[in-house]
Amino acid sequence: MSDAREHHLRALELPVVEAARALVGCTIAHADSSGVIVETEAYHEIEPACHAFVGITQRTKTLFAPPGIAYVYRSYGIHALLNVVVEREGVGAAVLIRALEPLTGVQRMRERRGRERLTDLCSGPGKLTQALAIGLELNATPLLGGPVALGPPPRGREEPRLIDGPRIGITRAVELPWRFCAAGNRHVSRPWPPGLLD
DNA sequence: CATGGGATTGACT
DNA sequence: GTCAATCCCATGC
């Protein structure tokens, strides 16, 4: 069977872990810059690492929105982190975008980041929001037809092979292998040592 | 109303 | 390797 809809649209209809896998390779664009998603993590209300675990509050209500909404929140009082809300309205689930491979508007990213090296621009969830000028004001905005644009993989780009592993920086539900990286990509937040890949 | 704890990063030893 | 910055929000008194 086939599905003519674009890859990112199908990803938004999947359960959160599958969505996290499917979103690797898709693109995110904002403020004249864009990049290819190379690292994601899945979060779901059934597990305590997810903000939605506590239920609907002022902070978490965005997580319970319909698929395709941006959940942007402040981390460590400093950084804005971008998530893609998925699963049906009323279910708290989202995919954290942890790293991008810079695609367009790279010079603007350099200016916003104050760094030159390509691998310093979007290789972390706080870095990529700074590079793309994504702030808390974009929380709850749509990722289709909104200011932040989720798009399909660039034409002709090979589908990435995925590496999974435990999520980064959490203290609860650490056993779930819900982090997904494009294998061998140098723009992930924590590059693996040489030789670890086959 | 006070408190504690981060889905991180960058600077420093 | 260690560690501070910094602020929003959930929780508890």
Side-chain angles (χ1 to χ4, degrees), chain A residues 1-23 26 44 65-69 84-89 91 93-95 143-144 150:
Chain A
M1 65 183 218
S2 68
D3 190 333
R5 288 170 303 159
E6 292 185 282
H7 188 94
H8 63 300
L9 302 180
R10 278 180 279 134
L12 291 176
E13 298 184 350
L14 297 172
V16 65
V17 175
E18 291 177 53
R21 301 182 65 101
L23 285 171
C26 295
H44 193 280
I69 299 295
V84 177
V85 174
V86 296
E87 304 210 4
R88 73 171 191 278
E89 184 171 15
V91 176
V95 176
L143 291 163
L144 303 173
L150 174 67

Side-chain angles (χ1 to χ4, degrees), chain A residues 8 32 169 186 197:
Chain A
H8 63 300
D32 301 313
R186 286 186 294 280
L197 300 170

Side-chain angles (χ1 to χ4, degrees), chain A residues 20-86:
Chain A
R21 301 182 65 101
L23 285 171
V24 176
C26 295
T27 58
I28 293 284
H30 182 251
D32 301 313
S33 294
S34 71
V36 179
I37 298 169
V38 296
E39 179 179 348
T40 63
E41 286 176 0
Y43 287 87
H44 193 280
E45 64 174 75
I46 60 169
E47 46 89 13
C50 182
H51 294 164
F53 186 69
V54 298
I56 299 178
T57 66
Q58 186 63 30
R59 179 199 204 188
T60 66
K61 60 183 181 185
T62 308
L63 282 168
F64 294 84
I69 299 295
Y71 170 51
V72 185
Y73 74 97
R74 186 165 300 292
S75 176
Y76 291 93
I78 302 170
H79 309 287
L81 268 52
L82 171 67
N83 297 252
V84 177
V85 174
V86 296

